[in-house]
């Protein structure tokens, strides 16, 4: 029987220890959902093991097939440039397919709502609650447009209003979106961080949520996020996808 490709989860990395701890918690959940799948983690920066180090170790073990999954919510610079560059430097005996980024996905909207309900909201609050969809931000117009599209889609699920916000590189900021929802007349305002792990920019989102009524936690190891990882893995391992560098 053919061996399943190893799933290599590629995270950005951070000096903030909460980031790596959250990534590892998410990977543990992925393993729990599919016990027969080997899942490894590599970081682009700040944390170990590095992506290159993991790939070298896998090659030394005799692994041949790898699905490299960017732990990213939008397809911006890291997914388009950084990660492909690292994968091109992998040992030549490895056959590597790069999976798509996690977003957008209906499962991620479910995870956002899970976090809002865990923070104190209920489904009955939706019609009177405005939500700030607060992302890290990007200089990539495609990534910004995706966040705006997600906000529009989420609005149609019953919230009073949904506004996108960005912690860097684009406007509006979280605090500006909170004020806009107040001015619209929403009875309460909630901030939903569209980020995977704690760190510098999520902390900026939290500070911007000071005047909101509810601040949800980051997506982290939500079960819906783990399911998206497995969906992306399954899609990437199909023969129709060409190996990186082919």
């Amino acid at each position: 029987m053919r061996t399943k490709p190893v799933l290599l989860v590629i995270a950005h990395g951070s000096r903030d220890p909460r980031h790596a701890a959250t990534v590892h918690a998410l990977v543990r959940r992925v393993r729990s959902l599919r016990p027969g799948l080997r899942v490894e983690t590599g970081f682009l920066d700040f944390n170990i093991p590095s992506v290159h180090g993991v790939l070298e170790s896998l090659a030394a073990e005799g692994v041949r097939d790898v699905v490299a999954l960017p732990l990213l919510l939008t397809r911006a610079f890291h997914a388009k440039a950084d990660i492909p560059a690292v994968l091109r430097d992998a040992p030549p005996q490895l056959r590597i397919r790069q999976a798509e980024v996690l977003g957008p996905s209906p499962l991620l909207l479910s995870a956002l709502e899970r976090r809002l309900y865990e923070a104190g909201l209920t489904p009955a609050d939706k019609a009177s609650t405005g939500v700030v969809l607060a992302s890290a931000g990007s200089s990539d117009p495609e990534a910004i447009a995706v966040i705006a599209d997600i906000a529009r889609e989420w609005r149609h699920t019953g919230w009073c209003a949904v506004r996108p916000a960005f912690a860097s590189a684009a406007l509006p900021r979280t605090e500006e979106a909170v004020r806009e929802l107040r001015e619209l007349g929403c009875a309460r305002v909630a901030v939903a961080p569209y980020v995977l792990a704690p760190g510098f920019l999520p902390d900026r989102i939290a500070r911007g949520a000071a005047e909101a009524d509810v601040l949800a936690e980051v997506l982290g190891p939500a079960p819906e996020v783990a399911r998206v990882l497995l969906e992306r893995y399954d899609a990437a391992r199909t023969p129709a996808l060409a190996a990186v560098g082919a």
Side-chain angles (χ1 to χ4, degrees), residues 22-23 25-30 32-33 102 107-115 118 195-197 217-229:
T22 302
V23 170
L26 175 58
V27 169
R28 286 194 296 272
R29 187 176 287 276
V30 172
S32 73
L33 291 177
L102 303 186
L107 284 170
L108 294 177
L109 287 181
S110 297
L112 287 166
E113 295 206 357
R114 170 191 290 275
R115 293 299 188 229
E118 289 171 350
V195 293
L196 288 165
E217 293 292 330
V218 299
L219 293 172
E224 297 87 353
V225 179
R227 287 168 58 196
V228 176
L229 264 71

Side-chain angles (χ1 to χ4, degrees), residues 183-199:
E183 292 168 2
L184 280 175
C186 297
R188 67 182 63 78
V189 176
V191 174
Y194 190 59
V195 293
L196 288 165

Side-chain angles (χ1 to χ4, degrees), residues 20-90:
T22 302
V23 170
H24 290 311
L26 175 58
V27 169
R28 286 194 296 272
R29 187 176 287 276
V30 172
R31 292 186 182 121
S32 73
L33 291 177
R34 195 169 295 182
L37 175 62
R38 180 174 178 181
V39 187
E40 300 291 341
T41 308
F43 295 90
L44 290 173
D45 207 352
F46 301 116
N47 302 105
I48 54 172
S50 68
V51 175
H52 183 74
V54 174
L55 292 171
E56 291 278 357
S57 295
L58 291 173
E61 289 180 32
V63 170
R64 290 297 175 263
D65 291 300
V66 177
V67 169
L69 194 155
L71 197 59
L72 301 167
L73 293 171
T74 58
R75 183 172 164 75
F77 182 78
H78 292 304
K80 294 177 180 178
D82 283 353
I83 291 174
V86 172
L87 298 181
R88 282 193 294 270
D89 287 338

